[in-house]
Amino acid sequence: MGKDFIVTNIDELNMFVRTGTVIDHQQSVHSSTTVTTSGGGGFLHQGSGYVHAPTTTTSTSSEEKLRIFLRRDDGTETEVEFWDTPFGVREGHRVSVVYAGPKTANKGVAVALINHSTDNDELFLRRLDSMLPKMSGCLALSLILGTPVLFVLLGALVFGSAAGVGMLGLIAGFAIVITKLSKRKNLANAVATEIRAKISEVIEQQKTTSHAA
């Protein structure tokens, strides 16, 4: 997917569009196989005991890749890749790619694709998710478990007793995690709304240009 850019506030969002004609495209499916072995073991003593054979699980996943070569109206060519979802496109189609990222970077990742020839468009949610601040499971667990410990220490130092403070800290830890997740969800909805508005704007602009021609 290339480099991901993080947007932490809706006011930081910057979007731009590349429009042109598809001169080539490549669609392929990439598969990966994961083998997991678990269990097994046992014991033998003087010829008696038991032995369990390990269990092996094999899982296969596939992901579709779309690569588009676009000749823009000024004659320059642009290459863009999408790994997220299948999308119908062929040579000669007029398409627009919507890019989004933070204003400070003056760059972005391709988050939406519009096919003006087929009146089809799509917002790639996995690309959108990659632009938002992450909260790992380890960080969430650290906040939930670490906050009570901090409250206990502060209670012992300030009040001379930690009684009941640990539970208050646990509640505070959960509250912090829930607040961060809620802010991320609200930011995701706001960014998605802005991108969808941009998609509608580009579609209308292309329709107006086509009618004028």
Side-chain angles (χ1 to χ4, degrees):
M1 288 186 183
K3 183 178 179 180
D4 291 333
F5 300 93
I6 303 300
V7 174
T8 59
N9 188 292
I10 189 62
D11 295 329
E12 298 176 357
L13 182 66
N14 177 51
M15 290 184 289
F16 56 94
V17 182
R18 298 286 183 262
T19 299
T21 302
V22 177
I23 57 176
D24 192 13
H25 79 289
Q26 301 168 359
Q27 289 181 304
S28 57
V29 177
H30 294 255
S31 300
S32 59
T33 302
T34 302
V35 179
T36 304
T37 302
S38 61
F43 76 92
L44 289 174
H45 180 66
Q46 295 181 352
S48 62
Y50 67 90
V51 176
H52 290 303
T55 301
T56 301
T57 303
T58 303
S59 60
T60 303
S61 62
S62 60
E63 191 172 31
E64 189 163 344
K65 174 183 176 181
L66 171 63
R67 175 182 292 173
I68 296 176
F69 296 89
L70 189 68
R71 178 176 287 126
R72 295 160 57 188
D73 296 337
D74 60 3
T76 59
E77 295 186 5
T78 299
E79 175 187 351
V80 59
E81 291 183 348
F82 295 94
W83 291 81
D84 315 77
T85 183
F87 190 92
V89 65
R90 64 178 176 83
E91 288 79 357
H93 281 179
R94 185 166 180 80
V95 303
S96 293
V97 182
V98 179
Y99 295 82
K103 294 177 181 178
T104 53
N106 198 29
K107 296 180 180 179
V109 294
V111 293
L113 181 59
I114 307 166
N115 190 331
H116 302 286
S117 300
T118 62
D119 292 326
N120 188 26
D121 62 83
E122 186 155 355
L123 166 61
F124 298 96
L125 294 177
R126 285 179 57 186
R127 288 289 182 92
L128 171 58
D129 184 71
S130 73
M131 294 170 50
L132 303 178
K134 305 295 186 296
M135 172 174 277
S136 66
C138 291
L139 176 58
L141 187 62
S142 297
L143 288 171
I144 293 173
L145 298 181
T147 306
V149 174
L150 179 61
F151 270 53
V152 168
L153 293 176
L154 290 176
L157 290 174
V158 177
F159 303 106
S161 173
V165 180
M167 181 58 67
L168 182 62
L170 184 62
I171 295 174
F174 272 108
I176 293 172
V177 172
I178 292 173
T179 300
K180 286 182 175 292
L181 292 177
S182 178
K183 287 183 178 179
R184 189 181 192 276
K185 182 179 179 180
N186 292 337
L187 177 59
N189 291 335
V191 172
T193 298
E194 290 293 323
I195 295 173
R196 289 192 174 97
K198 189 66 174 181
I199 292 174
S200 298
E201 177 187 327
V202 173
I203 291 174
E204 289 303 315
Q205 288 176 347
Q206 288 299 308
K207 287 181 178 180
T208 300
T209 301
S210 298
H211 291 158

